[in-house]
Amino acid sequence: MRLELGNILIKDVQFGSANKVENGCLYVDVASIKAVVLEDERIKEVTVDLARPGESIRITPVKDVVEPRVKVEGSGTIFPGVIGKVDTVGTGRTHVLKGAAVVTCGKILGFQEGIVDMTGPGAEYTPFSKLNNVCLIIEPIEDLTPYDYEEAVRFAGLKVGTLLGELGKNITPDELEVFETKPLIEQINQYPNLPKVGYVYMLQTQGLLHDTYVYGVDGKQIVPTIMYPTEMMDGAIISGNCVSACDKNTTYHHLNNPIIRSLYAQHGKEINFVGAIITNENVFLADKERSSNFTSKLATYLGLDGVVISQEGFGNPDTDLIMNCKKIEQSGIKTVIVTDEYAGRDGMSQSLADSDPAADAVVTGGNANEVIELPPMDKLIGSYAYVDKIAGGFDGSLANDGSIKVEIQAITGATNELGFNKLTAKTY
């Protein structure tokens, strides 16, 4: 599959009388956005607001982040099986409003939604502080179940992301990126002297609002399978989970997976990037065994020499991570795992809930228990009502002056396990 991503660089976002992109600015019409969101009868009201890099703005509780995109050439539509028909994506050309995002927030769903500060020390922990954000503050109808509320908010973000993405359909991109993975035999023969490397992409699928969707299917219902990396870059996988904000993969993360991009960057130079295996994270032991067996089998079937494995979440998924690592290593394939840590506020506790000597090549996104103080902001998008309750917060986190003392796990994307952040750790 060959995918072209045409990036239309967005440097500002403003309200306007119509939705349009002009001279690097995204103009948004509130009435049209509200009309799209309020098509869902489960949503009582939506407020639209804007947040730009460097502004004294705090957004909380953040649920998902969506990058506006549109298919220009090739099969399918963005977010197939959810917004569009279930056509295979990953080919042709897709235009991207690069530098813009749709951020959904509102009444808390569970306890693991997060915080995005657009300036100050907290802004350095999240990539979303660097984007021009169109924020949707969504108010559900009374007595809506948590599952229906999550779905309504998820669909709202995707629909608005699609609406704004359409603005780029007939615009000449500022830059063009090309990614290609050939059918397996062609791919292997293309660089026969380079090590064959694959990517095992673990998806959060534990249920109870810990869900990820593949072509619209709940990831709990799949067995591990092979996918072209360009499919993920073209909207085949979306977020629907409420794991801790610091290491949840938002839809934006799935679209811009830095591991996939890094492997493509080394393709034909140091490695032969053969493809990706997606797998789920399970609750029951038998399901963990089944999925890790499948993952190891597929890695062997592809004839890989090395594998990068990333997880999402922590605790229970650490077992899935180590099972995948151990079984793939036992197959004679070298592994590198990408995770983060919950090592206590002093950094002295056990970092992962599971471990094995086979996991001897580890990349970490940092310690989520590190404590930070976020200064007051001039403007709030969302609500302070849940700061003491979200994962990473505690009684007294919110001070009277609007400052917040929390663990960085409360910051959206702070220790992201795809490496979409600035934190890591080294051993000496």
Side-chain angles (χ1 to χ4, degrees), residues 97-108:
L97 300 191
K98 185 60 67 177
V102 175
V103 179
T104 52
C105 54
K107 183 180 292 185
I108 197 166

Side-chain angles (χ1 to χ4, degrees), residues 249-327:
N249 291 333
T250 66
T251 299
Y252 189 99
H253 285 107
H254 290 302
L255 291 167
N256 294 279
N257 186 313
I259 294 176
I260 291 175
R261 283 180 165 269
S262 296
L263 291 171
Y264 268 126
Q266 295 304 315
H267 177 62
K269 301 173 183 177
E270 296 184 5
I271 64 170
N272 186 347
F273 182 25
V274 173
I277 300 167
I278 62 167
T279 184
N280 43 23
E281 297 173 354
N282 298 286
V283 176
F284 298 109
L285 180 60
D287 296 327
K288 293 176 183 290
E289 295 283 8
R290 180 187 304 107
S291 289
S292 55
N293 286 343
F294 263 75
T295 301
S296 175
K297 177 183 65 176
L298 291 174
T300 303
Y301 176 71
L302 293 173
L304 300 177
D305 300 304
V307 166
V308 178
I309 310 170
S310 69
Q311 77 169 130
E312 182 178 10
F314 69 98
N316 188 290
D318 294 348
T319 303
D320 302 80
L321 174 68
I322 297 302
M323 279 187 176
N324 286 323
C325 171
K326 182 178 179 180
K327 292 177 181 180

Side-chain angles (χ1 to χ4, degrees), residues 15 17 19-20 25-26 52 56 74 82 115 133 142 155 214 220 233 249 253 255 301 347 394 398 423:
F15 289 122
S17 58
N19 295 318
K20 63 180 180 177
C25 182
L26 170 62
R52 307 169 188 85
S56 183
V82 182
I115 299 169
N133 296 311
E142 296 296 325
F155 274 62
V214 181
K220 289 191 296 298
M233 305 175 88
N249 291 333
H253 285 107
L255 291 167
Y301 176 71
F394 45 86
L398 178 64
L423 295 179

Side-chain angles (χ1 to χ4, degrees), residues 19-48:
N19 295 318
K20 63 180 180 177
V21 174
E22 192 173 86
N23 298 321
C25 182
L26 170 62
Y27 292 91
V28 296
D29 169 43
V30 172
S32 66
I33 291 176
K34 282 190 170 185
V36 167
V37 174
L38 294 176
E39 288 174 350
D40 193 325
E41 296 179 351
R42 296 171 295 185
I43 297 175
K44 178 181 178 181
E45 185 56 77
V46 57
T47 303
V48 183

Side-chain angles (χ1 to χ4, degrees), residues 17-240:
S17 58
N19 295 318
K20 63 180 180 177
V21 174
E22 192 173 86
N23 298 321
C25 182
L26 170 62
Y27 292 91
V28 296
D29 169 43
V30 172
S32 66
I33 291 176
K34 282 190 170 185
V36 167
V37 174
L38 294 176
E39 288 174 350
D40 193 325
E41 296 179 351
R42 296 171 295 185
I43 297 175
K44 178 181 178 181
E45 185 56 77
V46 57
T47 303
V48 183
D49 212 333
L50 307 177
R52 307 169 188 85
E55 293 184 322
S56 183
I57 293 176
R58 173 166 293 142
I59 313 169
T60 188
V62 171
K63 301 178 184 301
D64 195 15
V65 183
V66 177
E67 186 173 55
R69 296 185 171 205
V70 61
K71 290 295 295 180
V72 176
E73 298 173 1
S75 65
T77 57
I78 293 298
F79 312 128
V82 182
I83 298 299
K85 294 181 179 179
V86 191
D87 293 321
T88 301
V89 294
T91 61
R93 177 182 283 198
T94 295
H95 284 182
V96 184
L97 300 191
K98 185 60 67 177
V102 175
V103 179
T104 52
C105 54
K107 183 180 292 185
I108 197 166
L109 179 62
F111 59 90
Q112 295 180 307
E113 290 92 331
I115 299 169
V116 170
D117 280 357
M118 299 302 293
T119 191
E124 296 302 310
Y125 287 83
T126 174
F128 306 123
S129 64
K130 312 302 186 294
L131 303 178
N132 295 285
N133 296 311
V134 178
C135 303
L136 309 178
I137 306 96
I138 294 173
E139 179 69 24
I141 62 173
E142 296 296 325
D143 301 321
L144 189 65
T145 70
Y147 298 97
D148 284 335
Y149 178 34
E150 185 281 322
E151 183 179 70
V153 173
R154 172 163 32 99
F155 274 62
L158 297 173
K159 288 192 290 187
V160 173
T162 302
L163 174 71
L164 298 180
E166 289 282 344
L167 302 175
K169 191 166 188 175
N170 298 314
I171 296 177
T172 301
D174 297 292
E175 58 187 30
L176 188 66
E177 300 178 284
V178 179
F179 304 90
E180 185 174 17
T181 298
K182 297 178 181 294
L184 183 59
I185 294 176
E186 291 182 50
Q187 186 70 47
I188 291 174
N189 291 335
Q190 185 179 23
Y191 300 106
N193 297 320
L194 292 178
K196 299 181 291 297
V197 175
Y199 174 38
V200 172
Y201 196 1
M202 293 174 54
L203 308 177
Q204 175 56 256
T205 55
Q206 293 178 289
L208 297 177
L209 304 174
H210 289 52
D211 303 308
T212 303
Y213 296 87
V214 181
Y215 283 97
V217 174
D218 189 331
K220 289 191 296 298
Q221 300 177 27
I222 70 169
V223 293
T225 189
I226 299 167
M227 289 183 69
Y228 283 94
T230 54
E231 292 179 82
M232 278 82 92
M233 305 175 88
D234 214 18
I237 297 177
I238 63 169
S239 174

